Amino acid sequence: MSETIAAISVPMNDLSLQYRQLKEEVDLALNEVIEDTAFILGPKVQAFESSYATYQGVDHCVGVSNGTDALKLALRAGGIGPGCEVVTTPFTFGATVEAIVEVGAKPVMVDIEESYYTLDVDLLDGSLSSKTRAIIPVHLYGHPADLSPILDIARKRDLLVVEDAAQAHGARYRGQLVGSIGHVGAFSFYPGKNLGAYGDAGGLVTNDDDIARRIRLLRNHGQDPDGKFRYLEPGYNHRMDGFQGAVLQVKLPHLDGWNERRRQVAARYIRNLSDVAGIATPVEADYAYHVYHLFVIRCPSRDDLARDLVRNGVQTAVHYPRPLHLTPAFEGLGYRRGDFPVSERCCDEILSLPMFPELQDEQIDYVCDLVRQYIG
């Protein structure tokens, strides 16, 4: 390892690099929001909604406050509430299950497929009951879930399919953008996402006119979109603000290029680590276009490896250290250790390495050299 490379720290992400590339456009867009005083919803949000709907190839995009609220609104707009069961996986960020609980429904969990970390469709049928009303497949880390069998089951049973695409902006399933394939797709635009705002923001995409209309109503206190202060049903304050719409509109044209660079970063990691004993690198299904929101490896001695990398200036993270059924928030669902063995095993071994489009080849090689040195 050269002394120059060894002296460089490698962050998990560095949003300042992206801002510097777009500074002039971003600053101008933000100043326009200030001059127009269109701070909540407004023309910048409307412009982004139109652009993102076009990008996704759908009829509607609705900008909302964050990705968690996007999931909640999708379920509520789809008629999911008390007495309903919603199937998803325990191997995901807490918001996926939190949204189900928030609308009063019961989460039902299904283990993941070990290669791709997404819902194991072979186990799906056995999790359904007469109370099942929806399925939330999670496109985790930027890899699409296997949607065709999920949609086949949903059609037969008249179930709502809400795609949790919070980590999968621009990912494709059999050539089609995820989020646009189920009844509704929910996105997070948290700053570190592949398409990230400068604060909390989220969005929903759909071709269903009724779902889109109801989401627009619910995000704004249940008010009739055509009549302010005419409340049609209890809603929420889940609106996107103008600053976020402005930033997202500037960033959207760069998304595909950034995703392609993420794929190049992932490919370099995989080439460098594929022959390292005890390290498992990500696998891309033949139906998938993976956008690598995160680059996640597996190592039986994950914690020791992480400490070694941090000592040498490389940031790491664990997404996620515990499956949701083993967290205090969801222990009331009645699941126990051993119920989802694949999720539990993966949570003990996964480690996220630095991943962002501006990551340099020498930084990637440095991280890989450290992993090799640790294993050796």
Side-chain angles (χ1 to χ4, degrees):
M1 257 173 253
S2 75
E3 302 232 347
T4 304
I5 296 175
I8 297 174
S9 65
V10 188
M12 278 293 295
N13 199 350
D14 187 345
L15 297 177
S16 68
L17 297 175
Q18 190 180 87
Y19 170 63
R20 282 179 219 144
Q21 294 172 19
L22 305 175
K23 184 181 188 314
E24 187 174 335
E25 287 181 85
V26 168
D27 290 355
L28 177 61
L30 293 176
N31 283 333
E32 288 173 349
V33 174
I34 295 170
E35 289 172 2
D36 292 343
T37 66
F39 299 118
I40 305 296
L41 297 176
K44 293 294 186 185
V45 172
Q46 291 170 4
F48 172 69
E49 289 174 333
S50 177
S51 296
Y52 201 62
T54 299
Y55 174 81
Q56 285 284 145
V58 297
D59 294 335
H60 306 281
C61 170
V62 185
V64 298
S65 40
N66 55 62
T68 309
D69 294 337
L71 287 166
K72 181 169 69 175
L73 288 166
L75 292 170
R76 175 101 185 262
I80 307 303
C84 300
E85 292 181 355
V86 180
V87 177
T88 192
T89 84
F91 194 81
T92 180
F93 182 61
T96 310
V97 176
E98 181 183 13
I100 298 169
V101 174
E102 281 284 301
V103 299
K106 178 184 176 182
V108 174
M109 297 186 182
V110 174
D111 212 349
I112 58 169
E113 200 285 327
E114 192 155 4
S115 295
Y116 315 122
Y117 308 118
T118 56
L119 189 151
D120 188 337
V121 295
D122 291 335
L123 302 176
L124 184 54
D125 245 340
S127 71
L128 305 179
S129 77
S130 60
K131 296 181 179 179
T132 307
R133 295 291 180 271
I135 305 169
I136 304 181
V138 183
H139 306 306
L140 198 70
Y141 304 152
H143 190 289
D146 191 359
L147 289 173
S148 291
I150 295 171
L151 291 168
D152 287 344
I153 290 172
R155 277 190 288 269
K156 291 174 186 173
R157 292 177 171 261
D158 193 25
L159 304 178
L160 179 75
V161 176
V162 176
E163 295 179 66
D164 184 342
Q167 300 182 4
H169 317 73
R172 294 178 181 269
Y173 177 79
R174 301 196 185 281
Q176 186 173 350
L177 285 167
V178 301
S180 67
I181 302 169
H183 295 97
V184 58
F187 290 87
S188 167
F189 300 120
Y190 186 80
K193 296 298 172 68
N194 294 37
L195 181 63
Y198 283 178
D200 270 325
L204 297 114
V205 299
T206 184
N207 285 312
D208 189 308
D209 295 343
D210 290 335
I211 286 179
R213 179 197 59 78
R214 193 150 184 247
I215 291 170
R216 291 186 186 279
L217 181 151
L218 289 169
R219 74 170 174 180
N220 193 21
H221 300 286
Q223 294 180 87
D224 185 341
D226 298 321
K228 194 174 182 181
F229 306 131
R230 182 169 178 261
Y231 302 100
L232 302 181
E233 61 178 306
Y236 312 96
N237 180 4
H238 288 342
R239 302 167 297 196
M240 181 184 283
D241 72 59
F243 287 127
Q244 310 315 330
V247 169
L248 292 167
Q249 180 74 341
V250 169
K251 286 188 170 188
L252 180 57
H254 302 274
L255 174 60
D256 287 343
W258 289 334
N259 282 342
E260 188 53 39
R261 175 56 188 164
R262 285 177 180 271
R263 288 175 60 81
Q264 292 170 4
V265 170
R268 193 174 187 94
Y269 268 131
I270 292 168
R271 282 196 303 272
N272 286 351
L273 296 175
S274 60
D275 64 343
V276 179
I279 298 295
T281 54
V283 178
E284 183 178 62
D286 58 6
Y287 58 70
Y289 179 87
H290 195 333
V291 293
Y292 294 97
H293 169 59
L294 296 169
F295 186 85
V296 180
I297 63 171
R298 287 174 61 183
C299 177
S301 55
R302 182 264 312 283
D303 294 337
D304 287 339
L305 172 58
R307 281 189 286 269
D308 188 74
L309 291 171
V310 170
R311 275 195 299 269
N312 286 281
V314 176
Q315 291 184 2
T316 67
V318 178
H319 300 90
Y320 302 94
R322 285 168 295 280
L324 294 182
H325 69 291
L326 298 182
T327 61
F330 304 114
E331 62 185 8
L333 296 175
Y335 296 114
R336 298 291 181 266
R337 181 172 293 279
D339 287 344
F340 307 108
V342 179
S343 294
E344 293 168 21
R345 183 165 60 250
C346 290
C347 284
D348 289 340
E349 298 179 353
I350 52 173
L351 182 67
S352 298
L353 300 181
M355 168 56 79
F356 53 99
E358 297 80 16
L359 199 61
Q360 299 299 303
D361 287 350
E362 58 266 29
Q363 292 176 303
I364 302 165
D365 294 344
Y366 174 58
V367 175
C368 294
D369 284 346
L370 288 174
V371 173
R372 283 180 170 277
Q373 179 178 291
Y374 167 81
I375 295 296

